[in-house]
Amino acid sequence: MIILSLLLMVSGLLMINAIYAYHNTHIDPNFLPTLWYYIKVIPFFLSASMMVGYGVKFLTKIVDSLTFTLIVSKGMEILVSVAIGYIFLKEIPSWRTGIGILIILIGFWVLKEK
């Protein structure tokens, strides 16, 4: 069940980030083409939101801690964003990226514990 919840979260986050990254690099910045693109991807947004939601729900049910689940979710979101940035925008992560991710996760954990 843990693997299912993690796969659901990763799949949903990958889908959402890929939609935005594709828009950033391949869609004309004019209003109507952008509107038409987002109308076409509404089903993907719906399914991605449900994947993330059910992934969080299942993981919270398993570990019985919403704080831990949200920390895992944020960590996965950051890693997915780095991966999508590499795939679509050719941004190569450095050691500073790893330190930044670690600082963000520690900060999120500190905030959620209070």
Side-chain angles (χ1 to χ4, degrees):
M1 192 72 151
I2 289 176
I3 293 175
L4 174 65
S5 63
L6 295 176
L7 282 174
L8 282 170
M9 281 193 280
V10 167
S11 300
L13 292 169
L14 274 170
M15 196 179 303
I16 290 169
N17 283 300
I19 288 169
Y20 283 123
Y22 183 83
H23 170 254
N24 190 36
T25 56
H26 297 293
I27 302 298
D28 186 19
N30 293 327
F31 179 74
L32 288 177
T34 302
L35 178 64
W36 180 239
Y37 171 73
Y38 280 107
I39 288 172
K40 290 189 291 188
V41 296
I42 284 174
F44 295 107
F45 273 121
L46 177 64
S47 60
S49 295
M50 290 185 70
M51 284 180 196
V52 172
Y54 275 106
V56 168
K57 179 181 177 179
F58 292 155
L59 190 60
T60 302
K61 190 175 184 180
I62 293 166
V63 298
D64 200 33
S65 172
L66 182 60
T67 300
F68 178 76
T69 302
L70 292 177
I71 291 170
V72 169
S73 175
K74 284 296 174 190
M76 289 170 56
E77 185 177 349
I78 292 168
L79 293 175
V80 164
S81 296
V82 169
I84 292 293
Y86 177 73
I87 293 168
F88 281 93
L89 306 173
K90 306 300 182 224
E91 294 178 2
I92 299 172
S94 67
W95 64 272
R96 291 182 207 135
T97 307
I99 299 291
I101 290 171
L102 186 64
I103 290 171
I104 290 169
L105 290 177
I106 290 171
F108 190 75
W109 177 69
V110 167
L111 283 174
K112 285 296 178 182
E113 286 297 314
K114 292 188 176 194

